Amino acid sequence: MSANAVSQAAAPLEPPVPTKKPVKTTGLHIGEAGPGCAKVDPILVVDNVRRTFGGLTAVDVAHLEVPRGAITALIGPNGAGKTTLFNLLTGFDKPNDGKWTFDGRSLAGVPAYKVARMGQIRTFQLTKALGLLTVMDNMLLGAKGQTGENMFRALMPFLWRNQEEENRAKALDLLTRFKLETKKNDYAASLSGGQRKLLEMARALMSDPTLVMLDEPMAGVNPALTQSLLDHILNLKSQGMTVLFVEHDMHMVRHIADWVIVMAEGKVVAEGDPHEVMQNPAVIDAYLGQHHDEDIGVDPDTETEHVSAIKELLDDER
Amino acid sequence: MDWGAIFSNAAVELISPTTAAYALAALGLAVHFGYTGLLNFGQAGFMALGAYGYAISILTFGFPVWGAFLVGVGASVIFALILGIPTLRLRADYLAIVTIAAAEIVRLLFTTNTYASVTGSANGLSGYKNEFAALNPLADGTYGFGPFTNNAYDTWLRIVAWSIVILAALLVWQIMRSPWGRVIKGIREDEDAVRALGKNVYAYKMQSLIFGGVLGTIAGMIFALPRAVVPSNYQTTLTFFIYAILLLGGAATVLGPIIGSMIFWVLLSFFSGFVARAVEAGWLPFMTSIQGGQLRFILVGVAIMLIVIFRPQGVFGNKKELAFVR
Amino acid sequence: MKSTLTAQRYLPRMLVILFVTLLAALSMATFSAGSAHADEVGTEYGFTLSGNVKFNGEALDGVAIAVKGNGYTADTVTDAAGKWAIGVPEKGTYEVTLDEQTLPKGVVVAKGGNVIDTEFGLTDRKSVNFFLGEGTRNTVSFFDQFVNRFVNGLNFGLLLALAAIGLSLIFGTTGLSNFAHAEMITLGALMTLVFSVNLGLPIWLAILIAIALSGALGYGLDAVIWKPLRRKGVAVIPLMIVSIGLSLALRYLYQYFFGGSTSQLPGSGMTDLKFGPISLSPIDLASMGISIVVLLAVAFFLLRTRIGKATRAVSDNPSLASASGIDVDNVIRIVWVVGAALAGLSGVLWAYFRPGVSWDMGFQILLLVFAAVTLGGLGTAFGALVGSLIVGLFVELSTLWLPSDMKVVGALVILILVLLFRPQGILGRKERIG
């Protein structure tokens, strides 16, 4: 809490940061950091995945590896193909061609629900809290391998009552961690936008995933909740999960990400440690549409300047 | 004006087999539309399959009652598969158009002269009630009281029909509060979210379509038992009436469809009786008795609009859990 | 797409194809027609239509007779004494049809046609007799039949297109699947009937008035129902159910005022002109001409005029269109008026094509219009045109192989098959997920 207090005192308008100083994971890659570079222990490997909409190529990724046990940020300007890549990797969309593996298993042609069952759970840019279900029901829906989800066994409560109680206890535990336990009997529709984001993340955790893919987890969330969201993302890593998230805000990315992948016009244009990536001319080029002499993220003052410039630009684009 | 007759005729509808059949069909639609968010506009087709499946099995193939029952149910499972396989992956309104089209296909196949020897064409089928009547444990005579007095066959039919409705309601109630029901309701809210949680949404939607369709099919059999099976009974309008009942009672409720059906039929009967007698008595000089009969359809249409606009959760629905799919 | 078509996705399609083929095979196979009952049908009703089919004093057995009217249909065949009887639920006007195919060779209906409109008098029985004579039914070569059906199908498709484009534009701009479109079709025909037959105006004037009134109905419905509901933020599914309620109410309102009978518009009995194998009445020719001119005008409107471009913009992306300064409400109002007027015109042409005006005539083709719109791709105006032509041709051509009372079945089966292989419709775009 103190770190936050200091930073707020110093720059009141600065976006929130995690309450604890994040422990960065390093040494993730092999050889030179660059687009498509090899990782020591990749969890997700993408090869020649291409998706076109009509004449427009939305995604064209030659090779990409996502490191295990780290927080990886996927950034890029609007229309860079980040969400489309997310949809392709999670089975929500089908690429024109290409292959990709998760934990060594091929995911090409695997439907979204099977991808999720393998332990690769995603959230959505526009939150998909199930509004007319209670918060608790939302949570319970996240649990894997439920006996009572079979149509015929559903009619025999004695078959699934115990499992249901276990899931309920687990859900309550998660809700407490996400400070939503008082809302457990409310309809999800009554939650605020930020609380829905929290609920969606908590729900994703019900299935004990190995890879959590968050699509703009911080979008449209007020600063106080953003801070708690950042804490939760860091917690995921400390619990041994791998996180891949899409984000616009470079500032937050720099704080919590161990690795950054930059996309522009459907391609991966840069990869690396957050601080180094921000200095990459290709990244600045992608964001500002022109070469820029100064790098981003070295001097805190110039950094905020640039980041806010970029944010403004992105907001205009939106 | 004979108010007594109007009221007692209306009261008869409270527990009539037709009311039970509509209640059951609406319950099936509640599973589809209210709980899963599937826009099934072909419930009349499911009902037709039940009625014809039952009647043809008995008349043409000489099956026993349980065999005829299974044929009807089997036909509706196949029908649900044919409907569901192409459309359950598509947007909700596609299912609406395909189901309405498929129900019409079913009706036209039963209407065409080509199969008249089996389906009876436009005249339909009758004479399949003996098998069901033979199972009647009640001795001959009259049962009940007041407007609810019936002969042994009609009483037997009412007992069976309402037992099935109550059983089905308990089944729906139980399954909707199970984890299966949770997934189903989740799909109504946002199927992508449910898919992202590792549920095979397509399979669940198919199960729901089959489950609700089978309820509709059994409703079709109950509907056929007090009358003849005539294809013109299974027009799209029938589906619309069942939607009216569902919306009246509340789409995502178990009791809604049942109470809705009772309200619907009692009011409709009361209204028809009143208008018919009012016309006879010369109270409505601008109206013929045929026009009086049409007035009720106009009223049902207006009622559907008003309910959807002003009380979308129905009479019994929870305002918060109003069951409309976005 | 092809490369990712795994066996798992492929299997359900195979299953459906199998079922549909089965369905088609079933509908082709003809059951023995020998079981025809000579006894009365509809005996549960109090009123009876009956008749006696004789030729030169000799009773004809097995002649098919169909009765239609007041929402009731029934049919029967004559018994060995040439007698038939059909019970009907209420006194009223019925259309009795004798199926000429079932007459012995060399016998035809000599005068009055094989369709007779009849009305009950004071009694509960009404006899209907056909005048038979010697003659030959034209037997036409398959090719000639095909060409003839094709032209008919084109005519039907064009009139469907008039209705379908309106439905599609309304769907595109408001997201509403408007079931009450059927009643806008019917209104055109009913109003033409009222102004030409009942009020004695010249037919061209009656049609223009009917189209204007249809447009006014569209305007009125938008102003009174749809615009307030849009303002209220009612979602598309409830809107669709409202349109179903509206459709039901309007349809029976028509029946309330016009009754269940079928009436003919002036000139509907015109004799056919022969163009080689093609026989068309002057009305058919005019109908096709009018359809083509109007469709071209609609195309011009959509492609060249400011408001037409705005319409397509709203159809593409309402919020973007609104943001770029287009008055969305105004566009939607125009779409309703144009769509309803087109539907009204389509209703007039449909009344000549059927032929006849009746209270539920719009509802009879509503599904075909929906099928056309869906086939073409929901919300695309030109897709609706293509879809309509396909449906029209298919319905008419299918009568070459299918019994005519199943011609609609073929078109609906095609609809399901197209959705299976090209869900977005023929001209529709694939949707982006996420």
Side-chain angles (χ1 to χ4, degrees), chain A residues 211-248:
Chain A
L211 169 61
V212 182
M213 297 175 66
L214 307 167
D215 196 350
E216 299 207 23
M218 268 76 84
V221 178
N222 72 45
L225 273 176
T226 305
Q227 187 183 319
S228 119
L229 266 168
L230 291 176
D231 284 345
H232 286 303
I233 294 176
L234 287 170
N235 277 341
L236 298 182
K237 184 172 84 169
S238 58
Q239 285 163 25
M241 285 173 241
T242 305
V243 179
L244 175 65
F245 73 107
V246 171
E247 186 50 62
H248 276 309

Side-chain angles (χ1 to χ4, degrees), chain A residues 65-93:
Chain A
E65 296 184 8
V66 176
R68 187 191 305 275
I71 299 177
T72 304
L74 181 60
I75 65 169
N78 249 7
K82 308 182 297 289
T83 297
T84 310
L85 180 64
F86 248 52
N87 286 340
L88 293 172
L89 296 182
T90 50
F92 277 84
D93 194 3

Side-chain angles (χ1 to χ4, degrees), chain C residues 124-370:
Chain C
D124 292 348
R125 284 188 84 88
K126 169 83 187 173
S127 63
V128 182
N129 285 309
F130 294 90
F131 298 95
L132 303 184
E134 254 174 273
T136 43
R137 282 189 303 277
N138 299 337
T139 43
V140 201
S141 77
F142 180 80
F143 177 75
D144 288 357
Q145 270 189 51
F146 183 88
V147 172
N148 212 5
R149 292 282 103 194
F150 188 87
V151 174
N152 260 311
L154 218 55
N155 189 5
F156 186 42
L158 285 169
L159 78 87
L160 277 183
L162 291 175
I165 284 180
L167 189 72
S168 183
L169 283 176
I170 290 169
F171 179 86
T173 49
T174 66
L176 167 69
S177 306
N178 179 30
F179 277 75
H181 215 72
E183 279 54 52
M184 311 209 299
I185 295 171
T186 312
L187 187 80
L190 279 178
M191 287 301 119
T192 307
L193 182 74
V194 168
F195 283 96
S196 65
V197 176
N198 301 13
L199 298 178
L201 294 181
I203 182 72
W204 61 269
L205 186 58
I207 291 176
L208 284 181
I209 295 174
I211 292 172
L213 285 175
S214 298
L217 175 75
Y219 179 88
L221 289 179
D222 183 50
V224 175
I225 301 178
W226 305 118
K227 194 173 154 195
L229 288 183
R230 271 201 307 282
R231 285 272 155 81
K232 218 178 142 186
V234 177
V236 292
I237 303 295
L239 280 184
M240 172 168 151
I241 298 174
V242 170
S243 85
I244 287 173
L246 180 65
S247 160
L248 204 63
L250 281 179
R251 188 151 20 107
Y252 283 93
L253 202 67
Y254 294 158
Q255 199 193 9
Y256 184 92
F257 285 113
F258 296 93
S261 63
T262 299
S263 325
Q264 298 300 334
L265 290 179
S268 62
M270 277 192 204
T271 40
D272 287 357
L273 308 173
K274 290 275 176 192
F275 305 91
I278 307 164
S279 63
L280 283 172
S281 74
I283 298 271
D284 290 334
L285 286 174
S287 167
M288 288 167 85
I290 291 171
S291 303
I292 290 170
V293 169
V294 171
L295 289 172
L296 285 176
V298 171
F300 179 82
F301 165 77
L302 285 176
L303 294 176
R304 291 276 179 274
T305 65
R306 229 186 92 74
I307 193 78
K309 285 176 187 166
T311 306
R312 285 190 298 146
V314 174
S315 211
D316 258 9
N317 187 339
S319 48
L320 188 67
S322 163
S324 52
I326 294 172
D327 181 353
V328 175
D329 267 335
N330 188 43
V331 166
I332 292 177
R333 190 180 310 126
I334 289 169
V335 163
W336 269 102
V337 172
V338 172
L342 288 175
L345 174 62
S346 155
V348 177
L349 303 182
W350 170 227
Y352 278 112
F353 189 84
R354 292 175 71 211
V357 180
S358 79
W359 60 285
D360 66 343
M361 57 184 287
F363 196 65
Q364 287 170 3
I365 53 166
L366 180 67
L367 266 185
L368 293 181
V369 177
F370 266 116

Side-chain angles (χ1 to χ4, degrees), chain B residues 39 41 82 85-86 90-91 93-94 98 100 104 109 112-115 117 123 247 287 291 294 297 301 305 309, chain C residues 12 16 26-27 31 35 41 74-75 179 232 237 240 244-245 252 255-256 367 378 403 405 419-420 423 431:
Chain B
L39 269 176
F41 275 107
I82 296 176
I85 288 168
L90 307 177
R91 270 199 336 235
D93 35 0
Y94 280 102
V98 167
I100 207 170
E104 278 296 282
L109 286 178
T112 176
N113 286 322
T114 316
Y115 314 125
S117 56
N123 305 317
L247 295 169
M287 203 185 285
Q291 285 179 323
Q294 285 144 10
F297 291 100
M305 294 166 68
I309 297 171
Chain C
V16 172
L26 261 172
S27 45
F31 282 78
S35 80
V41 293
D75 51 78
F179 277 75
K232 218 178 142 186
I237 303 295
M240 172 168 151
I244 287 173
Y252 283 93
Q255 199 193 9
Y256 184 92
L367 266 185
L378 284 175
D405 58 359
L419 283 182
L420 190 60
E431 269 187 271

Side-chain angles (χ1 to χ4, degrees), chain C residues 406-418:
Chain C
M406 290 215 289
K407 61 182 177 186
V408 177
V409 173
L412 298 180
V413 169
I414 285 293
L415 168 69
I416 296 179
L417 283 180
V418 168

Side-chain angles (χ1 to χ4, degrees), chain A residues 92 112-113 116-117 121 124 128 130-133 137 140-141 143 146 148-149 151 154 157 160 164 187 203, chain B residues 171 174-175 178-180 182-183 185-186 189-190 192-193 195-200 204 207 211 318 320-322:
Chain A
F92 277 84
Y113 76 93
R117 283 183 192 172
I121 297 273
F124 294 86
K128 292 185 184 293
L130 306 165
L132 299 184
L133 263 59
D137 274 347
L140 291 173
L141 205 51
Q146 297 189 51
E149 286 184 355
M151 193 179 185
W160 45 264
E164 184 86 347
Y187 284 116
R203 190 175 66 193
Chain B
L171 200 68
Q174 172 57 39
I175 205 165
S178 75
W180 187 85
R182 191 159 59 216
V183 178
K185 286 186 265 185
E189 296 301 310
D190 192 320
D192 276 343
R195 196 171 281 130
L197 294 172
K199 319 294 177 197
N200 186 353
Y204 278 99
Q207 288 167 13
F211 179 37
N318 178 342
K320 277 188 194 150
E321 193 172 359
L322 54 91

